[in-house]
Amino acid sequence: MGLLQDRYVIVTGAASPRGLGKATAKLFADHGATVAILDLDAGAAEDAARDLGDGHVGLAANVTDQAACRAAVEDLIGRWGRIDVLVNNAGITQPLKIMDIAPENYDAVLDVNLRGTLYMSQAVIPAMRDQKSGSIVNLSSVSAQRGGGIFGGPHYSAAKAGVLGLTKAMARELAPDNVRVNAICPGFIATDITAGKLTDEMRASVLAGIPMGRAGEASDVAGCCLFLASDLAAYCTGTEVDVNGGSLIH
């Protein structure tokens, strides 16, 4: 028996082959969950769902579009009858300095990371409240806690800090309905977002700041998502869990 046997799960932004979302979706499927992968591109989402095995779903949804989030969730409730877990993984980053952040940069990064987390959560909350159970896992970042310094610009730090505040406020409001909301703060993880964008010197300096001496893997984050999604974390809500190899110990 897996930790998520007979649970129905949504993971956003999970079509990227080496991303955190895909690794999380795969681990959840391995633990018995039925998974819906939401991404901008329907074909990519369907392909990713197919990789997980039979019975999983791939849907196109832009998390910055409230109506699209609601439509995707309504589609899934029509198929499944319930939603047990939402992983708000969809995110983008930009390595800009403070004076280089233009309005369109701010809009893009805040909208996907923060507004998308809000809209997807709003879409699943009514069903979770009705069934008196649910787990929402939000992806923040060590950048929110330490003020950047790895890859994303200050607007990325701000968006991911916003995710922490939203997580805690939602946790407080939803706890009476037995809906848990928690955040994960990954450190430097080797994924497609950072691939090819770091020079050897940058990489060496990042690794020098990690006591465990290695970059994280997508599977490291996926394992933490599994814990928070499952009944092992039944009394955890409003938490932020660090997955950073010791790069921030506080």
Side-chain angles (χ1 to χ4, degrees):
M1 283 285 284
L3 288 171
L4 296 176
Q5 200 65 42
D6 304 322
R7 303 284 173 89
Y8 294 94
V9 176
I10 297 171
V11 186
T12 67
S16 174
R18 286 170 298 283
L20 303 183
K22 180 77 181 288
T24 299
K26 175 150 193 1
L27 184 61
F28 282 18
D30 291 346
H31 274 266
T34 301
V35 181
I37 286 178
L38 271 52
D39 216 300
L40 285 171
D41 182 292
E46 287 160 12
D47 289 347
R50 212 170 290 116
D51 287 346
L52 303 180
D54 291 339
H56 304 288
V57 182
L59 291 179
N62 179 348
V63 295
T64 69
D65 177 344
Q66 192 177 40
C69 294
R70 284 186 182 146
V73 169
E74 278 168 20
D75 177 334
L76 293 169
I77 289 173
R79 298 175 196 231
W80 296 341
R82 61 185 293 119
I83 289 170
D84 298 294
V85 180
L86 166 65
V87 179
N88 280 308
N89 168 76
I92 59 169
T93 187
Q94 295 170 340
L96 299 173
K97 300 288 189 211
I98 187 71
M99 295 305 295
D100 299 328
I101 301 167
E104 60 271 18
N105 302 127
Y106 176 93
D107 288 346
V109 169
L110 269 287
D111 278 358
V112 177
N113 291 290
L114 186 52
R115 189 191 295 266
T117 296
L118 172 66
Y119 286 170
M120 276 306 304
S121 299
Q122 287 176 324
V124 302
I125 285 166
M128 289 183 173
R129 276 184 157 152
D130 286 348
Q131 68 203 26
K132 288 281 186 261
S133 71
S135 173
I136 298 174
V137 182
N138 296 329
L139 270 291
S140 180
S141 171
V142 71
S143 292
Q145 301 165 312
R146 64 188 295 265
I150 292 186
F151 188 74
H155 54 330
Y156 179 74
S157 295
K160 291 301 194 182
V163 168
L164 290 181
L166 181 63
T167 298
K168 292 171 184 182
M170 287 201 301
R172 190 180 294 279
E173 188 175 337
L174 300 176
D177 291 313
N178 195 36
V179 178
R180 300 181 298 103
V181 190
N182 294 283
I184 295 178
C185 296
F188 179 63
I189 313 288
T191 66
D192 289 344
I193 276 189
T194 49
K197 298 196 175 109
L198 292 176
T199 64
D200 287 345
E201 300 83 67
M202 281 164 76
R203 190 179 175 80
S205 95
V206 168
L207 291 181
I210 302 174
M212 288 184 76
R214 68 171 178 89
E217 303 289 331
S219 58
D220 293 320
V221 176
C224 199
C225 285
L226 175 64
F227 164 69
L228 290 172
S230 79
D231 292 340
L232 290 178
Y235 201 53
C236 298
T237 196
T239 69
E240 54 187 86
V241 183
D242 297 344
V243 185
N244 64 32
S247 65
L248 181 73
I249 297 174
H250 56 111

